[in-house]
């Protein structure tokens, strides 16, 4: 039951990243977002989530993980309620950012609770397998749930649904999860703020570049500000006696490599869900429910990949699963680059999506175990927070880069399609274009598809980089295999 409560919280937090994806076309028309600015509905959540995860992990270490876990879930519930009632884009983005704060408090604490609740060895391996499957498969479950809610109710219910789930988790936590030991320490507020602000500026720079171009003054100022603020973050962390990001964790090559792999893979998986959601609804014409069902096989195949990795990790170690998983993900994304306006779901989307999902299932179990290997108990929260942070920050930054690729490619395609549109358009269609700047089908499908294909090319490059990191950097020692089998292994580093 403890694992069920912890996994339910992680499912709610991860699910919320993609449950909103299925509602994006409806949110766009309801609250007047452009296609590029629409990514902020995702990024407002993931940036605060990723930027404050380390502070959330530290809070659990210092104040008690169960107490912090409950507070984070309650804050998430409140933000979900506010988001559901949002009347304009600003209110929705504010609520999404507050959701990210709640998730940042609850999520690293939940992962740390697994480390302190289950014994190292097969028992903890199985718990991590469940946690990783939920973390990876929650995205697809969110798309299905979002499809049902949007189809049967409306887009606001993708946020309202978190309220009863969160309240049930809060009620069950004191009964099934014991409070952890507190470890004295201090909060690194300056580190948390500079890391979050730096990433927001960096992501804004990429999204601004997609809208206004690389020579835009505000684009360049955003990138310059990001460099300055992130440099300040590194200086703060080096001088702090209790930094939010213990830089010595990067001294272990396996852990540093794991974080690098997670950055690349998160960028790929966020991009896949975001762009495929737009493609299947806008180009293939799927309803929200049909779109959600279209992603259901992703969860099943991720679970298969996670199960295989959990079973054979003690025999082969995590490195083979890291390398093969990244290669499979790259192959799936490369296959998706072949989609065009004549593609079908069965012929062009399902196959590559399943290949990608199998690789991701292998990856998440391996990465989770490697990131927390040889970490002392007082720093478990910080280590788990850092892994989650690299996932969310990598997803946000990667999605912004992919949106830039999408914007550039779709703009170039629009330059080709608009003259053809004017040659064939009726007077009413021309008037509508002058008012909205949007071309109708089939020209809009060509523009969207060109942008999506370009985004998948970059996503595939991210996964190839992940495979190279796994191949070159990761080294599995005999003592690591002993620990996976339940043996003593070496002491924590």
């Amino acid at each position: 039951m403890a694992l069920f409560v912890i996994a339910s919280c992680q499912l709610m937090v991860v699910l919320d990243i993609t449950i909103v994806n299925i509602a994006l076309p409806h949110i766009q028309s309801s609250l007047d977002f452009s296609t590029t600015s629409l990514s902020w509905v995702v990024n407002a959540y993931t940036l605060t989530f990723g930027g404050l995860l380390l502070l959330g992990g530290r809070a659990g270490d210092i104040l008690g993980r169960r107490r912090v876990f409950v507070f984070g879930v309650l804050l998430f519930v409140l933000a979900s309620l506010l988001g559901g009632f949002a009347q304009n884009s600003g209110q929705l983005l504010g609520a999404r950012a507050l959701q990210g704060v709640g998730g940042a408090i609850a999520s690293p604490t939940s992962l740390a609770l697994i480390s302190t609740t289950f014994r190292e060895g097969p028992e903890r391996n199985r718990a991590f397998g469940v946690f990783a499957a939920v973390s990876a498969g929650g995205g697809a479950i969110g798309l299905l749930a979002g499809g049902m809610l949007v189809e049967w109710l409306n887009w606001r219910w993708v946020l309202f649904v978190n309220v009863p789930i969160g309240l049930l988790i809060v009620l069950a936590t004191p009964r099934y999860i014991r409070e952890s030991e507190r470890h004295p320490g201090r909060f690194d507020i300056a580190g948390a703020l500079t890391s979050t602000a730096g990433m927001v500026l960096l992501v804004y720079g990429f999204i601004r570049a997609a809208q206004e171009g690389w020579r835009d003054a505000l684009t360049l100022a955003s990138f310059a500000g990001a460099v300055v603020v992130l440099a300040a973050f590194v200086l703060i962390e080096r001088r702090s006696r209790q930094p939010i990001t213990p830089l010595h964790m990067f001294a272990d090559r396996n852990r540093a490599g794991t974080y690098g792999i997670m950055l690349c893979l998160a960028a790929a998986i966020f991009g896949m869900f975001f762009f495929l959601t737009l493609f299947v609804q806008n180009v293939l014409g799927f309803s929200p429910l049909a779109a959600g069902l279209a992603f259901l096989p992703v969860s099943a195949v991720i679970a298969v990949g996670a199960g295989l990795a959990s079973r054979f990790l003690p025999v082969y170690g995590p490195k083979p699963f890291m390398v093969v998983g990244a290669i499979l993900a790259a192959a799936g994304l490369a296959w998706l680059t072949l989609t065009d306006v004549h593609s079908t779901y069965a012929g062009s989307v399902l196959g590559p999506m399943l290949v990608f999902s199998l690789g991701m299932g292998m990856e998440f179990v391996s990465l989770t175990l490697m990131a927390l290997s040889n970490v002392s108990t007082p720093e478990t929260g910080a280590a788990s927070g850092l892994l989650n942070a690299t996932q969310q920050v990598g997803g946000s930054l990667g999605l912004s880069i992919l949106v830039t690729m999408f914007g550039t490619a779709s703009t170039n395609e629009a330059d080709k399609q608009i003259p053809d549109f004017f040659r064939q358009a009726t007077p009413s269609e021309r008037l509508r274009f002058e008012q909205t700047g949007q071309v109708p089908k089939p020209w809009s499908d060509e523009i969207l598809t060109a942008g999506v294909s370009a985004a998948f090319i970059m996503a595939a490059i991210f996964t190839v980089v992940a495979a190279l990191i796994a191949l070159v950097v990761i080294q599995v020692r005999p003592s690591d295999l002993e620990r996976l089998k339940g043996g003593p292994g070496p002491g924590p580093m």
Side-chain angles (χ1 to χ4, degrees):
M1 284 303 299
L3 180 59
F4 178 77
V5 172
I6 293 169
S8 297
C9 173
Q10 183 67 4
L11 177 62
M12 180 180 71
V13 171
V14 173
L15 178 147
D16 210 73
I17 298 170
T18 56
I19 193 172
V20 173
N21 272 12
I22 210 75
L24 287 176
H26 298 266
I27 293 173
Q28 183 176 14
S29 59
S30 177
L31 301 181
D32 297 324
F33 283 95
S34 68
T35 302
T36 49
S37 65
L38 192 64
S39 63
W40 279 110
V41 178
V42 177
N43 285 334
Y45 176 76
T46 55
L47 277 173
T48 51
F49 189 13
L52 298 176
L53 269 168
L54 301 173
L55 189 63
R58 178 67 70 188
D61 292 340
I62 296 173
L63 301 176
R65 289 169 186 152
R66 188 179 73 178
R67 179 180 292 105
V68 171
F69 178 77
V70 169
F71 175 76
V73 173
L74 284 174
L75 185 60
F76 191 90
V77 166
L78 173 63
S80 299
L81 191 63
L82 294 174
F85 286 115
Q87 298 301 306
N88 56 55
S89 58
Q91 291 176 3
L92 178 62
L93 295 182
R96 290 287 286 165
L98 188 61
Q99 274 188 306
V101 176
I105 294 171
S107 184
T109 313
S110 63
L111 183 54
L113 283 170
I114 287 183
S115 297
T116 55
T117 303
F118 299 93
R119 293 189 304 272
E120 189 161 28
E123 181 179 302
R124 189 182 295 180
N125 293 347
R126 286 192 295 270
F128 275 139
V130 172
F131 189 89
V134 166
S135 298
I141 296 171
L143 290 167
L144 175 60
M148 291 189 291
L149 291 169
V150 173
E151 183 90 2
W152 297 335
L153 298 169
N154 61 54
W155 69 263
R156 298 181 183 276
W157 281 92
V158 302
L159 297 167
F160 287 145
V161 71
N162 294 321
V163 176
I165 297 173
L167 291 177
L168 287 173
I169 291 171
V170 168
L171 292 173
T173 298
R175 182 173 181 179
Y176 296 108
I177 298 177
R178 63 179 182 272
E179 184 58 277
S180 65
E181 180 184 355
R182 298 190 194 184
H183 302 280
R186 300 167 66 182
F187 291 109
D188 181 13
I189 303 297
L193 293 179
T194 50
S195 65
T196 305
M199 290 308 303
V200 168
L201 286 170
L202 189 59
V203 167
Y204 178 76
F206 279 110
I207 294 176
R208 177 82 181 182
Q211 297 172 320
E212 306 295 336
W214 290 95
R215 296 182 180 180
D216 176 69
L218 195 53
T219 299
L220 297 175
S222 180
F223 284 127
V227 171
V228 172
V229 175
L230 290 174
F233 164 71
V234 173
L235 289 175
I236 289 169
E237 297 308 281
R238 291 183 64 180
R239 296 177 180 178
S240 175
R241 284 185 293 178
Q242 292 183 326
I244 194 173
T245 306
L247 297 180
H248 67 266
M249 287 190 176
F250 292 94
D252 183 292
R253 64 180 293 162
N254 283 346
R255 197 171 300 117
T258 297
Y259 294 145
I261 294 168
M262 180 62 87
L263 278 170
C264 296
L265 294 180
I269 197 168
F270 275 50
M272 189 205 75
F273 281 130
F274 183 84
F275 289 109
L276 271 187
T277 300
L278 295 178
F279 180 80
V280 298
Q281 291 191 72
N282 294 338
V283 178
L284 299 185
F286 282 26
S287 68
L289 179 57
L293 289 170
F295 287 100
L296 188 59
V298 171
S299 293
V301 177
I302 283 177
V304 170
L308 287 172
S310 298
R311 181 175 180 181
F312 293 107
L313 269 169
V315 180
Y316 301 108
K319 181 171 180 173
F321 296 100
M322 289 180 170
V323 175
V324 173
I327 291 173
L328 287 173
L333 290 168
W335 192 354
L336 281 172
T337 63
L338 303 177
T339 54
D340 57 31
V341 292
H342 305 294
S343 296
T344 62
Y345 171 74
S348 304
V349 175
L350 179 60
M353 195 167 61
L354 296 182
V355 173
F356 177 87
S357 303
L358 182 63
M360 281 296 175
M362 294 179 180
E363 285 285 353
F364 276 90
V365 176
S366 308
L367 293 172
T368 303
L369 282 168
M370 186 62 76
L372 295 181
S373 176
N374 297 334
V375 177
S376 62
T377 301
E379 289 190 327
T380 300
S384 59
L386 192 55
L387 178 65
N388 275 308
T390 53
Q391 180 181 353
Q392 302 307 321
V393 170
S396 299
L397 181 58
L399 181 57
S400 67
I401 294 172
L402 297 179
V403 165
T404 304
M405 295 292 295
F406 168 88
T408 302
S410 58
T411 298
N412 292 338
E413 185 65 24
D415 291 339
K416 301 176 185 177
Q417 295 295 329
I418 288 176
D420 184 62
F421 161 72
F422 273 110
R423 284 193 297 269
Q424 302 183 42
T426 63
S428 62
E429 288 176 333
R430 293 183 181 183
L431 178 62
R432 194 176 302 114
F433 173 76
E434 292 173 359
Q435 293 173 340
T436 65
Q438 302 293 320
V439 297
K441 288 177 174 291
W443 299 279
S444 62
D445 289 350
E446 294 282 359
I447 294 170
L448 179 67
T449 302
V452 168
S453 295
F456 284 140
I457 291 173
M458 180 56 69
I461 292 172
F462 287 147
T463 52
V464 169
V465 173
L468 291 174
I469 295 173
L471 188 63
V472 175
V473 177
I474 301 299
Q475 291 182 342
V476 179
R477 296 155 292 210
S479 58
D480 295 324
L481 293 177
E482 281 299 313
R483 293 173 71 87
L484 291 172
K485 294 175 182 176
M493 296 177 63

